Amino acid sequence: MAKETVHILQSYVAGRGKALKAEQQVGCASAEEARRKAERLAPLRVAVVAFSVSADTEMGDYDENPVIHFRSGPLPPPFDEA
C-alpha cells in the first residue's frame, strides 16, 4: 500500500435547482499548480476547489480530510467547511 499526496482541481457547474454538478477532476503536479488553475477557473464556474489529499491510488483509497488550497463558491461537503 503506497500512499502518496495527490493535488486535485474540482470545479462545479449549475445542476437542477440549487444542485451542483461536478465536472471531471483535474490532477495537478503540485498544490501551487492546482491553486493557480482554480483561481483562473473561478470566475467561469459556480464553484471551484483546489485541494491535496493522501491516497493509495492503486487501491482507490483516499483520505477523508483534504487540505484546501483555494475555494470559491458554494461547495458541497467536505469542502464547505471554513
Side-chain angles (χ1 to χ4, degrees):
M1 190 150 109
K3 285 263 185 179
E4 62 181 287
T5 300
V6 293
H7 312 285
I8 299 171
L9 165 64
Q10 177 67 65
S11 58
Y12 298 87
V13 294
R16 290 184 164 190
K18 293 183 180 182
L20 294 176
K21 181 178 176 186
E23 295 187 305
Q24 187 168 346
Q25 290 183 343
V26 176
C28 298
S30 68
E32 180 64 21
E33 178 186 349
R35 184 190 59 76
R36 282 193 320 265
K37 287 182 176 183
E39 287 176 345
R40 286 194 309 266
L41 195 57
L44 307 173
R45 299 294 186 270
V46 173
V48 177
V49 62
F51 63 98
S52 297
V53 66
S54 296
D56 180 349
T57 54
E58 291 178 8
M59 297 294 291
D61 184 27
Y62 290 81
D63 188 12
E64 293 183 19
N65 298 314
V67 176
I68 308 295
H69 304 295
F70 178 85
R71 78 176 102 215
S72 174
L75 294 162
F79 306 119
D80 62 343
E81 300 170 1

